[in-house]
Amino acid sequence: MKTVSANQHLNVHACSLNEYDRQKITISGAIYRIRKLGGGLFFIVIRDGESLIQCKLESNESIISIEEYSEGDYVSITGICQKENRAPHGAEIKVQSIEILSKSTEEMPFSINQKLFEVGLDSNLNFRPISLRHPKQRAIFAIQSAISMLFRQGLSLIDFTEIHTPKLVFAGAEGGANVFKVKYFERELFLAQSPQFYKQMMVGVFGKVMEVGPVFRAEPHETSRHLNEYTSMDLEVGPIKSFEDIMEIETYLLRYIFEELPKFCSAELKLLEVSMPQINNIPIIKMSEALEIISKNRKIKDRSDLDPQGEQIICQYIFKETGSEFVFVTHYPTIKRPVYAMEDPENNEVTLSFDLLFRGLEITTGGQRIHDYKMQVEKMKRLGYNPDDFVSYLQIHKYGMPPHGGFGLGLERLTMQLLNLSSIKEACLFPRTINRITP
Ligand code: AMO
């Protein structure tokens, strides 16, 4: 007897059911729905972590009593697999026996077997282990999983090495107040705001490095675009000729991810009716030009950064002019960029850096870094840092570094924009915000 369980045997999927025509098989999963068809006929639909499996039960032919089972019960079903065009994956199981592996003791807080998922954000997040079982919620994270896998795969293909850097760190790399302090025995450490210093250190070792990992920002506000813990997809590379090399790599990588994505999650992309962006060349504009465009729409108070509305105006303008849903905005003001950012030698009020905006939202920051020791120490002093606090980081500058740069791409922000979600919390399995720390 063959056992088909996507949970236990990763190489066998519900979608390969039709390979077992007329054979006796066992599957396991949670009861998704029980449908009475009349004449003693029932459908029990099983959710097996991969997909749905239709099982047909003729109760008058068997000793199985359907009343024993309810939605959510985790069961093991044995029966004969048979072709059925109307069933998911073209096959169903004619049930011979059912074993309950785990009985659901409570009624579901909401239905997860309806086509639409009409549950408010708070209930969705409060009952996250349950809401994520809805096919539409699950689809978000199947797509997200494929994105982060393709990020790593796309960079492996061009010889990047994957690294894993500490999340307990001696200093916040991004400046600002949004750093979490951690009591570390008798000392104080911080939760990493980004892998910035470490990925730079590793350029001196491998030349091209990448990391996908958690980072922490003590955001004291709830917004639709901020989390206090998010997944950062980072790369760092040297030697480079200019920070434009970094934008070229990001263009290649996004093109790769969006071209490959349908191969890994076409059913989920279809279920969520995702409109895939087309990437040819991504338009590039300077921050000063962006501000000019925005000022034609409305007054600008702060000329050092783009606010959310400004980002939307720029994206709408670029889409109208070029058809691109992405735009690089370059040369951000020095006062708005962290201490490691390389200043433009022709105008030190701006940096050789960029943000990438996608459908009205910043999803990436990147740029060239300072590689010269004197220049880095001078900038630290100018910004009020004590270089003695950064001795281990400054080793890279002291002992020779190539011109280098990189970027950080927020996985949840990319997911949110691609899937047209209204809050970043929907793009995070278990979001952390100032008001939410469970589940
Ligand atoms: P930055 O701080 O701009 O740059 O962050 C990079 C990207 O991370 C995402 N992001 C966030 N996502 C969710 N919640 C937040 N609170 C949050 N903050 C940032 C955004 C943003 O574009 N070290 C640099 C990157 C680099 O230059 O390599 C950095 O971390 O998508």
Side-chain angles (χ1 to χ4, degrees), residues 62-190:
S62 78
I63 49 161
I64 299 165
S65 151
I66 196 76
E67 289 75 31
E68 283 176 37
Y69 307 100
S70 44
E71 218 184 279
D73 290 353
Y74 205 93
V75 295
S76 169
I77 292 185
T78 299
I80 304 295
C81 188
Q82 51 195 22
K83 290 216 156 103
E84 170 52 69
N85 288 339
R86 288 164 296 180
H89 313 296
E92 66 181 8
I93 296 172
K94 189 159 185 276
V95 179
Q96 291 179 331
S97 64
I98 309 179
E99 184 193 348
I100 297 187
L101 302 179
S102 161
K103 183 91 192 126
S104 151
T105 58
E106 297 258 340
E107 214 178 290
M108 293 279 188
F110 39 71
S111 169
I112 59 155
N113 63 17
Q114 301 301 307
K115 239 185 169 173
L116 294 177
F117 182 71
E118 288 174 323
V119 172
L121 187 57
D122 268 345
S123 292
N124 178 347
L125 298 178
N126 289 340
F127 292 99
R128 204 59 167 153
I130 310 307
S131 62
L132 290 169
R133 295 178 181 180
H134 190 280
K136 285 200 163 174
Q137 292 292 301
R138 177 194 171 281
I140 297 172
F141 298 96
I143 295 167
Q144 189 172 76
S145 159
I147 292 173
S148 63
M149 182 274 289
L150 289 167
F151 177 89
R152 297 188 351 257
Q153 195 176 78
L155 290 175
S156 297
L157 288 174
I158 52 170
D159 300 326
F160 276 72
T161 300
E162 184 169 11
I163 57 171
H164 304 281
T165 62
K167 304 304 157 209
L168 287 168
V169 297
F170 63 91
E174 305 303 332
N178 64 355
V179 55
F180 284 111
K181 289 180 185 161
V182 178
K183 186 170 169 358
Y184 188 75
F185 305 106
E186 296 312 313
R187 281 180 287 174
E188 190 174 77
L189 283 184
F190 305 97

Side-chain angles (χ1 to χ4, degrees), residues 169-407:
V169 297
F170 63 91
E174 305 303 332
N178 64 355
V179 55
F180 284 111
K181 289 180 185 161
V182 178
K183 186 170 169 358
Y184 188 75
F185 305 106
E186 296 312 313
R187 281 180 287 174
E188 190 174 77
L189 283 184
F190 305 97
L191 291 180
Q193 290 170 304
S194 76
Q196 186 62 40
F197 293 162
Y198 295 97
K199 64 176 182 168
Q200 285 184 251
M201 292 177 194
M202 293 310 291
V203 165
V205 180
F206 286 115
K208 296 173 171 181
V209 294
M210 56 152 149
E211 175 166 12
V212 177
V215 294
F216 305 87
R217 305 282 171 105
E219 308 285 358
H221 40 244
E222 285 250 14
T223 80
S224 61
R225 50 164 56 196
H226 290 102
L227 293 166
N228 288 356
E229 176 178 3
Y230 70 91
T231 302
S232 187
M233 302 197 289
D234 277 83
L235 68 78
E236 199 71 17
V237 52
I240 55 170
K241 286 202 199 74
S242 106
F243 78 106
E244 284 162 8
D245 296 355
I246 310 293
M247 296 192 284
E248 239 171 67
I249 297 174
E250 183 158 25
T251 306
Y252 149 79
L253 189 57
L254 288 171
R255 200 182 290 136
Y256 179 80
I257 291 173
F258 291 128
E259 278 173 12
E260 292 293 305
L261 206 50
K263 293 185 193 160
F264 295 92
C265 47
S266 66
E268 286 84 0
L269 290 168
K270 211 167 141 202
L271 183 66
L272 299 182
E273 297 173 28
V274 177
S275 139
M276 293 296 277
Q278 299 299 316
I279 301 187
N280 298 313
N281 291 322
I282 298 180
I284 303 173
I285 59 167
K286 285 189 171 167
M287 175 72 161
S288 51
E289 296 169 70
L291 292 170
E292 283 313 304
I293 294 164
I294 296 167
S295 66
K296 287 189 185 132
N297 282 266
R298 57 143 235 237
K299 271 198 165 162
I300 301 177
K301 283 191 209 122
D302 178 7
R303 294 189 69 83
S304 65
D305 210 351
L306 299 182
D307 61 15
Q309 199 199 11
E311 288 177 355
Q312 278 171 11
I313 293 170
I314 293 304
C315 284
Q316 281 157 10
Y317 173 87
I318 292 292
F319 184 68
K320 214 166 124 212
E321 293 291 311
T322 69
S324 172
E325 296 190 274
F326 292 86
V327 54
F328 284 115
V329 180
T330 64
H331 297 87
Y332 273 70
T334 302
I335 47 159
K336 279 287 167 181
R337 286 303 206 220
V339 67
Y340 54 77
M342 176 75 100
E343 286 157 26
D344 185 345
E346 284 165 21
N347 172 9
N348 68 1
E349 290 193 353
V350 297
T351 52
L352 299 178
S353 70
F354 64 88
D355 273 6
L356 177 64
L357 314 185
F358 173 37
R359 296 180 177 163
L361 179 72
E362 172 206 324
I363 59 163
T364 295
T365 293
Q368 185 167 351
R369 329 299 186 184
I370 297 173
H371 56 277
D372 179 80
Y373 179 70
K374 273 196 195 138
M375 191 188 283
Q376 184 63 83
V377 169
E378 183 281 316
K379 186 162 181 180
M380 281 179 169
K381 287 183 180 159
R382 182 162 32 104
L383 298 190
Y385 294 93
N386 181 356
D388 292 344
D389 294 339
F390 296 88
V391 171
S392 57
Y393 172 54
L394 287 168
Q395 285 178 28
I396 59 172
H397 307 83
K398 222 178 208 171
Y399 298 107
M401 268 299 273
H404 65 283
F407 69 75

Side-chain angles (χ1 to χ4, degrees), residues 404-420:
H404 65 283
F407 69 75
L409 168 57
L411 177 60
E412 293 82 358
R413 285 210 186 166
L414 176 58
T415 310
M416 173 187 173
Q417 292 309 89
L418 178 66
L419 307 187
N420 197 21

